Amino acid sequence: MVERENQAMRMLHENMLDVFRWRSILSTSLLLLGAIAYQVCAYIWSWPLWPAIAACIGAIVLFVLFVFIWPRLEYQYFAFAVHEEEMEIKQGVWFRSHVLIPMSKVQHVETETGPLLRTYGLASTMIVTAAGTHKISGLLQKEADELKSYIGKLARVVDTDE
């Protein structure tokens, strides 16, 4: 068994909670707008009103769930740690995953930021291996760049030792 240095798992920056909330607001608002549009059509063309009422109630319940409860859970259940020989990522609310990425398998590391992340000064770091891409969204831009450089340095060191 490989002994790892005793390093605590890191969480995302707390601004990521706001990003999670805005993503949820945008997606659930579309659902609520669809329910309201049906209600208007039901009124104009004398359609049954109960589906519109049920859809509005459902959209409001989903809005509350995905804007106020789910983002906190997503934030709470995401953590990562970088060790000399591997990277560890834990995530998931319903389906939890615990991934160990050997530094020797890292092909490249990149950072990216979109308009919503930029608004809160955040960025994503992506670790690419032959098996896929592992993403850590929600680090301050400077931290994301430092993490990218650090993982890149560790991956090169492990590569040259083999």
Side-chain angles (χ1 to χ4, degrees), residues 20-21 23-25 27-28 61-71 74:
F20 286 146
R21 285 191 180 109
R23 285 179 182 167
S24 296
I25 286 170
S27 60
T28 55
V61 167
L62 289 175
F63 184 85
V64 169
L65 174 70
F66 286 114
V67 172
F68 297 107
I69 298 168
W70 195 260
E74 272 187 299

Side-chain angles (χ1 to χ4, degrees), residues 1 6 16 29 31 36 38 43 62 83 88 94 102 111 116-118 120 123 129 131 137 139 144-145 148 157:
M1 182 160 88
N6 202 4
M16 194 60 187
S29 293
L31 186 62
I36 291 170
Y38 180 87
Y43 179 75
L62 289 175
H83 309 288
E88 185 175 6
W94 291 110
T111 57
L116 194 52
L117 287 174
R118 264 194 313 274
Y120 290 96
T129 66
S137 290
L139 299 173
D145 290 335
K148 177 183 88 168
V157 168

Side-chain angles (χ1 to χ4, degrees), residues 74-108:
E74 272 187 299
Y75 178 79
Q76 179 182 343
Y77 287 109
F78 188 97
F80 70 98
V82 180
H83 309 288
E84 281 191 30
E85 294 186 13
E86 63 191 15
M87 177 152 189
E88 185 175 6
I89 301 174
K90 292 181 179 183
Q91 64 183 343
V93 178
W94 291 110
F95 300 98
R96 296 189 183 152
S97 70
H98 185 184
V99 179
L100 294 175
I101 307 163
M103 288 298 171
S104 61
K105 301 300 180 189
V106 173
Q107 293 178 342
H108 70 275

Side-chain angles (χ1 to χ4, degrees), residues 31-51:
L31 186 62
L32 186 58
L33 284 174
I36 291 170
Y38 180 87
Q39 195 164 4
V40 169
C41 291
Y43 179 75
I44 292 172
W45 290 297
S46 299
W47 294 350
L49 205 52
W50 67 266

Side-chain angles (χ1 to χ4, degrees), residues 4 9 14 24-25 29 31 52 89 100 131 141 147 153 158:
R4 274 188 266 160
M9 296 293 281
E14 62 186 21
S24 296
I25 286 170
S29 293
L31 186 62
I89 301 174
L100 294 175
Q141 180 70 51
L147 181 64
K153 185 179 104 182
V158 170

